[in-house]
Amino acid sequence: MAASGSLFSDLRDIKKQLLSVSWLCRERGLMHSVKWASELAFSLESIPINELPPTPELTEEDVQDLDAYTLAKSYFDLKEYDRAAYFLRGCKSQKAYFLYMYSRYLSGEKKKDDETVDSLGPLEKGQVKNEALRELRVELSKKHKARELDGFGLYLYGVVLRKLDLVKEAVDVFVESTHILPLHWGTWLELCNLITDKEMLKFLSLPESWIKEFFLAHIYTELQLIEEALQKYQSLIDAGFSKSTYIISQIAVAYHNIRDIDKALSIFNELRKQDPYRIENMDTFSNLLYVRGLKPELSFLAHNLCDIDKYRVETCCVIGNYYSLRSQHEKAALYFQRALKLNPRYLGAWTLMGHEYMEMKNTSAAIQAYRHAIEVNKRDYRAWYGLGQTYEILKMPFYCLYYYRRAHQLRPNDSRMLVALGECYEKLSQLVEATKCYWRAYAVGDVEKMALVKLAKLHEQLNESEQAAQCYIKYIQDIYSCGETVEHQELSTAFRYLAQYYFKCKLWDEASACAQKCFNFNETREEGKALLRQILQLRNQNESPSNDLPPAVPFFLPQSISASNTPTRRVSPLNLSSVTP
């Protein structure tokens, strides 16, 4: 169903729904959902006072529990969770019961986090558990069987099941919650964390509500289905949410995920103008500035966020990125550790810390950090890719292959994963598989412009000189056609090979042209001069090419690697069940 269709025909009614659900969430201490609903409501036109939704009516049970609820809520807001739970014992209303159970859950989470920070180093985390989870599950399960849980109660039950790794049960409960209370964004987000692929998404029976469009756009972004996500967000903008900072930030994140860095930076800069004190997603913004090497901008962002709130995880990650860009890796790792002390479940910090340990050549610490990132989110391709790199350093190609394949499954159109896979197959002497990987990397758009060179070298190893020459020619054309000013070290390799190839084929003009190009590079200058002298001598002897040599490759895009013939099949996976780490 199109987002701009009947679901969004009455934006005024949607605004009323958002205001109502933000009130319900506020009463239950679900502040992230309150913020999401409030930001979305703010992006819509104001409604007259006589049309504002009424505050929820109190039931008889609400009235009986009102004193205890009011007192407990004040303690809850001050993060005194045990104290809040104590005064809510025995309350019968749905609202008070939810706050009672939620206080107990958050108390357990807080104790777990405190124990993680105090008694263990951030890299030794993992064995600390929330002791309240099992009791909560037993009690909520009884209520669920008796059908006594409302939408919020089901949400909490689902969270408890997810924390206990009961994924299938959690998904069923979250889906049930979306049918009873479709406007609670927290439930949809939890569901996002459990959906592993598009197939799983298709089989979920979700309610037909306007909020489902936001959920689909979000899950498409998470599943790296960026084109679909951007289409959804565009249709939401067209439907009337053009002022939503949430949508703008999600679009920026989507462009970040497909490495359209200029577009993402432009959107983030626009977002900063609209919402200058925003901290969410600023760590993603800093990743983009880092990739572009924009030190002054990254420094300004770090100082700015420090002034707003220095004890936010995003702020610590931005500062960490700043120090990393200045090659102060110990300081960078320190700030990522600080971020994890503030929130041990913060995915970005684990991955970035893994990168810093890699820079410091501390592979065991890097492996631990990447593993923690995967514990938090199995869809984090950067962590799988990072693990592949660490095992590559440790010269363990089978492990390395396993992790690169996982990264490739998450990012099938990312050439970096494919090139890494190809290098792995090369090390394992599986040259056919390596060739497929490099072809595929070239076909999907080679980010680092290395696939053709690696393919050419592979053909050199196999003594397939014609194919090697074709790859080098296409590589040279690609580098010059995109107007790259960066010096590509492999250009000299390509010109040297082609000069020698044409020399063997006795095509003196082409050989001379390539040999002269070798003069532009220090490493091939002398070889180019020597080859030119040889060509000159042979020309003076009036030697012509013999007919028994293989035909030379013409200096244009050969038919064998034209767009229509580029193989695009996936890399066939190895059976790694016996060596899975």
Side-chain angles (χ1 to χ4, degrees), residues 70-114:
T70 306
L71 177 66
K73 183 66 168 64
S74 69
Y75 295 145
F76 180 93
D77 290 342
L78 293 168
K79 294 185 169 56
E80 298 184 51
Y81 302 123
D82 287 330
R83 200 174 179 194
Y86 177 79
F87 285 98
L88 287 165
R89 290 169 309 152
C91 287
K92 297 285 187 288
S93 66
Q94 290 277 19
K95 184 167 66 179
Y97 178 74
F98 175 84
L99 198 64
Y100 169 62
M101 298 300 276
Y102 193 40
S103 296
R104 288 171 60 191
Y105 165 75
L106 288 178
S107 168
E109 286 294 291
K110 187 170 184 291
K111 284 167 188 166
K112 183 187 83 170
D113 289 350
D114 289 347

Side-chain angles (χ1 to χ4, degrees), residues 303-330:
H303 280 99
N304 184 233
L305 295 185
C306 235
D307 289 342
I308 298 168
D309 188 349
K310 67 162 75 170
Y311 296 112
R312 277 279 291 268
V313 284
E314 294 93 341
T315 304
C316 293
C317 286
V318 170
I319 297 170
N321 270 340
Y322 172 66
Y323 281 121
S324 180
L325 189 56
R326 294 182 59 180
S327 298
Q328 293 177 256
H329 300 297
E330 289 84 359

